[in-house]
Amino acid sequence: MRALRWTFTTLAFTLIACGGGGEKTAAPNNTGGGGGGGGGGGTGSTSNSISVGDNFFDPASTTVTVGTTVTWTFSGATQHNVTFNNSSISGSNNMQSGTFSKAFNTAGTFGYTCTIHGSAMSGTIIVQ
């Protein structure tokens, strides 16, 4: 179990550092992450829609503009939550289905995890 968690964590950090891999189809509520065709300076996703599945957030890292509301959509066989590393920011309840939305009105980097599954299931919202 520990080796699997280490492998998943290493993979997640690698994907974040590399910008998350190939192009994804944009969700209807996406917000831009920069001007022109560049899309935010190589910081990965600029989606404000995050899928929560069994042991993953997709995308695990995203960059949005100040004032954006990010929505996590839960699906899967087990419950998950969104708990921010900064405990003064309220997170979601434990959920198996449904959505949780959070407005980001100040610039910064906001890390979060699913406390049910620990650091192997984590993500980052970068607000610019």
Side-chain angles (χ1 to χ4, degrees):
M1 179 71 170
R2 180 173 231 157
L4 179 61
R5 182 176 292 164
W6 175 255
T7 301
F8 185 81
T9 301
T10 302
L11 177 62
F13 283 120
T14 302
L15 289 175
I16 290 168
C18 293
E23 294 291 319
K24 291 188 178 185
T25 304
N29 293 330
N30 285 350
T31 59
T43 57
S45 175
T46 57
S47 177
N48 68 329
S49 298
I50 299 175
S51 297
V52 182
D54 290 332
N55 301 318
F56 69 86
F57 293 109
D58 184 31
S61 179
T62 193
T63 301
V64 298
T65 56
V66 171
T68 298
T69 297
V70 175
T71 300
W72 288 261
T73 302
F74 292 75
S75 63
T78 61
Q79 289 191 342
H80 302 283
N81 62 45
V82 174
T83 302
F84 289 92
N85 299 350
N86 179 342
S87 61
S88 68
I89 302 173
S90 62
S92 75
N93 293 322
N94 293 346
M95 302 171 70
Q96 186 173 347
S97 62
T99 61
F100 166 70
S101 295
K102 183 66 140 178
F104 291 89
N105 296 317
T106 57
T109 300
F110 302 89
Y112 61 91
T113 62
C114 170
T115 58
I116 298 169
H117 296 98
S119 63
M121 189 173 172
S122 62
T124 306
I125 306 296
I126 301 164
V127 182
Q128 299 178 336

